[in-house]
Amino acid sequence: MSHSTLASHTGKSLADCTDLELFNALLELTSEAAHERGYNEGRKKLYYISAEFLIGKPLGNNLINLGLYDEVRDELAAAGRSLSELEEFEYEPSLGNGGLGRLAACFVDSCATLGLPADGIGLA
């Protein structure tokens, strides 16, 4: 990884961390990696406005979109931990209930996968 490893975000051995500690370290790692990319600096940005977003659990998608999934999975496995278990630890935000919410989420996820500057805006 060009940035620090997951272990450097916990302050202790990954094997000794609770699920919550590992989950929070993963959130910090993904946030730092997204910030390092420097997207949206002086460029136009797309805003997708929708009344709902059925996004699913974002941690796994964020790790995939940042190119970190395999490295984090392997780092956790080396410590006897499971990334898939941590993904189950995350709550489903359930920000909608229908096809339009899933369409909005897929559109924004596609933008993230392609590295396009875009944000989803939810209307309450």
Side-chain angles (χ1 to χ4, degrees):
M1 295 181 208
S2 62
H3 41 78
S4 55
T5 63
L6 180 60
S8 68
H9 287 82
T10 63
K12 60 184 179 180
S13 162
L14 295 181
D16 295 332
C17 292
T18 66
D19 285 348
L20 180 59
E21 290 170 328
L22 286 173
F23 182 74
N24 286 332
L26 281 169
L27 295 179
E28 186 178 321
L29 178 73
T30 55
S31 177
E32 286 177 8
H35 182 72
E36 285 177 9
R37 282 192 159 183
Y39 285 165
N40 307 329
E41 294 177 3
R43 296 181 2 196
K44 292 183 180 181
K45 185 174 188 177
L46 175 124
Y47 293 94
Y48 191 102
I49 301 171
S50 178
E52 54 188 275
F53 286 91
L54 288 175
I55 60 173
K57 298 177 179 184
L59 177 61
N61 272 348
N62 289 337
L63 290 171
I64 290 167
N65 290 332
L66 292 166
L68 299 174
Y69 191 90
D70 292 338
E71 292 177 56
V72 167
R73 181 198 60 216
D74 294 347
E75 186 180 0
L76 285 167
R81 303 302 297 262
S82 168
L83 178 54
S84 62
E85 286 180 17
L86 290 174
E87 288 175 308
E88 291 301 315
F89 183 76
E90 183 176 25
Y91 289 105
E92 162 67 57
S94 300
L95 305 172
N97 61 7
L100 291 178
R102 190 65 212 133
L103 176 65
C106 287
F107 183 82
V108 173
D109 188 50
S110 294
C111 290
T113 300
L114 295 170
L116 300 173
D119 271 333
I121 307 297
L123 302 175

